[in-house]
């Protein structure tokens, strides 16, 4: 929403981790044009959890560096801002994943969950030991030093009434809080977890959704929209920002008064022009890697020869 603005007068921002199959790259291009961040979420989104947890260096390279190649080419992102990784099902790949990320100049990972504790965890770098126990993630956190930022997903407190209810285990993504059925519950989940972060050490609150969850729960998108507007009109020191913007602030901490002029958060402040293309190419394509499937690739760029997939991320075709 261009009219939903942060206290510095710039549009509220989000980070979108993009998988590949069925993705409309002209829409990704538009999100990037408007100043949102695009990260990668793999090419295949393989359902077998072992594929990720036990994946070797080349698996992670093909999936994540390949996904970046695809999104940069077909969403025409040429400014080098695709630097973040989220692992499917939050199945972290241990040192193999992070060695690959360092070699490929990725800046951060956002797949490690921090357990629900007294205070939430701030982002940290993996040069030193993690400041919390390896929780979930099939217990496959990195055990060596890596020059990578970790943007942890603090577990959400999903109790209906945090003052009275018994301890419930936290949930990682908003869309994985299995006890949230009604709009009122969703609203109080957002508000209570916001207050928990805002009222303690002010660690960034990561609210992660997959779009299917917002769509399948009727009216939840309106609740989210209304709640964001409520926060922005009530607090003059709360910003909706991307993962990169969090890192920029941590590398150059700035007090609330000066934050309105913080240069890194003013880029693409309010984008007005028209989308890059109004009629994307709906390229119907096949690949020998997915026999029998014809997939559409929507892009403002020229259609490739083949459907891009893990052995052929550019879609130029290749010889087995």
């Amino acid at each position: 929403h261009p009219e939903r603005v942060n206290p510095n007068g710039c549009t509220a921002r989000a980070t979108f981790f993009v998988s590949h199959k069925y993705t409309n790259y002209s829409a990704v291009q538009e999100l990037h044009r408007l100043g949102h961040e695009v990260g990668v979420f793999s090419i295949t989104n393989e359902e077998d959890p072992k594929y990720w947890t036990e994946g070797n260096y080349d698996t992670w390279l093909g999936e994540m560096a390949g996904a970046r190649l695809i999104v940069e080419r077909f969403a025409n992102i040429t400014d080098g801002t695709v630097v973040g990784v989220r692992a499917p099902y939050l199945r972290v790949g241990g040192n193999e994943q992070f060695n690959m990320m360092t070699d490929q100049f990725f800046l951060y990972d956002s797949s490690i969950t921090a357990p629900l504790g007294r205070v939430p965890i701030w982002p940290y770098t993996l040069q030193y030991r993690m400041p919390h126990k390896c929780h979930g993630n099939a217990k496959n956190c990195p055990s060596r030093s890596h020059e990578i930022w970790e943007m942890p997903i603090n577990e959400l407190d999903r109790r209906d009434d945090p003052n009275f209810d018994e301890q419930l285990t936290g949930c990682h993504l908003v869309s994985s809080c299995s006890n949230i059925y009604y709009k009122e519950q969703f609203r109080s989940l957002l508000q209570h977890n916001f207050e928990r972060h805002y009222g303690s050490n002010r660690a960034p609150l990561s609210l992660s959704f997959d779009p299917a969850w917002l769509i399948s729960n009727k009216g939840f998108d309106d609740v989210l929209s209304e709640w964001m507007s409520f926060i922005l009109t009530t607090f003059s020191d709360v910003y909706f920002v991307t993962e990169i913007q969090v890192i920029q602030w941590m590398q150059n901490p700035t007090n609330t008064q000066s934050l309105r002029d913080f240069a890194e958060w003013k880029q693409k402040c309010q984008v007005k022009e028209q989308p890059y293309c109004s009629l994307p190419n709906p390229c119907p394509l096949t690949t020998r890697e997915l026999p029998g499937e014809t997939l559409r690739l929507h892009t403002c760029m020229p259609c490739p020869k083949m459907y891009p997939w893990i052995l052929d991320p550019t879609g130029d075709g290749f010889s087995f």
Side-chain angles (χ1 to χ4, degrees):
H1 276 281
E3 65 277 9
R4 186 177 293 127
V5 294
N6 282 323
N8 63 355
C10 299
T11 313
R13 297 281 142 88
T15 297
F16 294 86
F17 293 101
V18 175
S19 55
H20 173 47
K21 212 175 187 183
Y22 314 121
T23 290
N24 178 340
Y25 287 98
S26 67
V28 175
Q29 183 168 350
E30 177 61 5
L31 286 171
H32 174 259
R33 189 185 75 83
L34 293 170
H36 299 290
E37 182 193 348
V38 176
V40 291
F41 198 44
S42 84
I43 294 179
T44 65
N45 209 19
E46 168 63 55
E47 287 173 10
D48 176 7
K50 280 202 169 104
Y51 175 82
W52 303 106
T53 306
E54 297 170 12
N56 63 17
Y57 184 98
D58 288 339
T59 299
W60 284 96
L61 177 70
E63 289 282 3
M64 297 303 180
R68 177 166 64 185
L69 202 68
I70 290 171
V71 82
E72 286 182 338
R73 174 172 288 208
F74 297 106
N76 198 20
I77 299 177
T78 54
D79 56 5
T81 53
V82 184
V83 291
V85 165
R86 176 163 286 170
Y89 312 101
L90 306 183
R91 289 284 183 161
V92 178
N95 295 313
E96 298 282 348
Q97 174 189 340
F98 290 89
N99 287 337
M100 179 284 294
M101 287 178 66
T102 307
D103 292 349
Q104 291 296 316
F105 303 103
F106 281 105
L107 175 66
Y108 71 85
D109 169 75
S110 182
S111 318
I112 293 180
T113 53
L116 190 55
R118 200 176 50 80
V119 290
I121 301 278
W122 273 82
Y124 51 89
T125 71
L126 289 162
Q127 289 154 306
Y128 306 102
R129 219 179 92 190
M130 289 164 50
H132 58 88
K133 68 181 202 306
C134 186
H135 175 75
N137 300 114
K139 300 279 185 284
N140 195 20
C141 298
S143 58
R144 294 200 291 276
S145 175
H146 301 275
E147 299 269 322
I148 297 285
W149 278 85
E150 180 57 46
M151 312 303 282
I153 301 170
N154 281 289
E155 281 195 327
L156 301 168
D157 183 344
R158 61 195 174 111
R159 293 172 297 171
D160 278 342
D161 186 340
N163 296 323
F164 297 108
D165 285 7
E166 75 291 353
Q167 244 5 88
L168 271 179
T169 53
C171 47
H172 313 151
L173 310 178
V174 179
S175 41
S176 65
C177 296
S178 53
N179 63 326
I180 304 295
Y181 303 111
Y182 304 112
K183 291 196 285 195
E184 301 69 43
Q185 287 179 308
F186 180 37
R187 176 81 167 64
S188 69
L189 176 88
L190 294 170
Q191 187 60 26
H192 165 58
N193 284 284
F194 167 75
E195 286 166 2
R196 192 175 152 257
H197 282 245
Y198 187 81
S200 61
N201 63 1
R202 302 216 166 163
L205 170 62
S206 161
L207 294 171
S208 304
F209 310 87
D210 63 55
W213 184 83
L214 273 179
I215 293 163
S216 61
N217 287 281
K218 277 229 179 329
F220 276 30
D221 51 351
D222 297 334
V223 171
L224 177 62
S225 184
E226 183 274 320
W227 177 77
M228 287 176 71
S229 299
F230 162 75
I231 292 292
L232 289 171
T233 49
T234 310
F235 297 89
S236 60
D237 56 354
V238 176
Y239 289 72
F240 286 89
V241 293
T242 66
E243 307 268 25
I244 289 180
Q245 287 179 312
V246 171
I247 294 174
Q248 287 169 331
W249 185 88
M250 288 184 72
Q251 290 175 330
N252 183 11
T254 303
N255 68 31
T256 325
Q257 281 67 43
S258 317
L259 203 49
R260 290 167 186 257
D261 302 313
F262 185 59
E264 284 88 338
W265 286 12
K266 294 291 249 186
Q267 291 165 355
K268 289 191 179 179
C269 186
Q270 285 201 343
V271 180
K272 294 282 190 276
E273 301 79 31
Q274 290 302 305
Y276 185 73
C277 70
S278 50
L279 275 179
N281 296 316
C283 322
L285 300 166
T286 58
T287 166
R288 280 179 282 177
E289 296 181 71
L290 299 169
E293 288 190 64
T294 298
L295 295 147
R296 285 193 182 276
L297 180 83
H298 292 269
T299 176
C300 296
M301 308 305 285
C303 293
K305 281 207 290 253
M306 314 293 287
Y307 189 72
W309 203 247
I310 191 138
L311 298 177
D312 176 28
T314 56
D316 291 333
F318 56 92
S319 46
F320 279 112

